[in-house]
Amino acid sequence: MSGHALAAEGGAGALKDGMRILLIDHGCCDHPHTRIHRLRAGLEAANCEVAVCGPSSLHGLDEQPPGMHGIHLHDVAAGSRAFLAAVKEGSPEAFLSAVAGVPSRLLGLARETARQMIAEAADTLYPDTIFVLHAGILTDLAVETGAPVVVHVSEADLVATTDRPSLRRLVRAALGSSDGLVAANDSVAERLKTNWLASDPEQCLRCETWSIDATDAAPRIAAACHAALARRRGE
């Protein structure tokens, strides 16, 4: 039985000493000054055990800080000038926008690199829940781990899929398979419910709305992850 299955069977008592949460971002996750590490610090202050996974400037062979699982994409991205520039720039918006134009073969290589690191992070932490910042090419890879997944969706995520139907299908399937959704604002929530989740009323009903940049984002993440785990357990 996988660690994720064991966690799911643990009942409410498994949360007594805090949740294990894996944070995945589509933007640069270099330690310690990036957004995801600020969120990690807030969650750890709430007694959660947290690991981080996402694009990193550190090479895969370099030593990384505890709980950090960086996805080094520079070598793969070198096959596309626009993709490499976005990876170096570091913002999730640049990454998501560039991905939409990356050739399929190169995108496949990038996803396989990410898949291996996300699987490694999940196998190391055995997260109760995975929280993914942005709906992009890493979201379905989080779903693949078998752990409950909550996705925070921004306007940039939806715009990035506009001109690439295969990417739109990938993201739509990942959102439909997630255990919780958070829209960045009311406009995104409306777009999700109208254009993306119209055939899934249950997912529409449980879609929350709040910004990942809010001062209370960390406790909101913890609450969303707790709710997703409870739904997975049928509580």
Side-chain angles (χ1 to χ4, degrees), residues 57-123:
S57 63
L58 291 177
H59 194 278
L61 298 178
D62 294 339
E63 184 176 356
Q64 302 197 46
M68 172 69 188
H69 302 268
I71 305 169
H72 186 76
L73 293 172
H74 289 62
D75 294 342
V76 173
S80 164
R81 184 176 299 176
F83 192 26
L84 181 59
V87 169
K88 288 182 175 179
E89 195 264 358
S91 73
E93 292 79 12
F95 182 89
L96 292 161
S97 178
V99 160
V102 172
S104 296
R105 179 178 175 277
L106 189 60
L107 184 59
L109 290 173
R111 278 171 50 77
E112 186 54 38
T113 300
R115 175 180 282 112
Q116 293 175 17
M117 191 54 68
I118 289 172
E120 176 185 296
D123 287 344

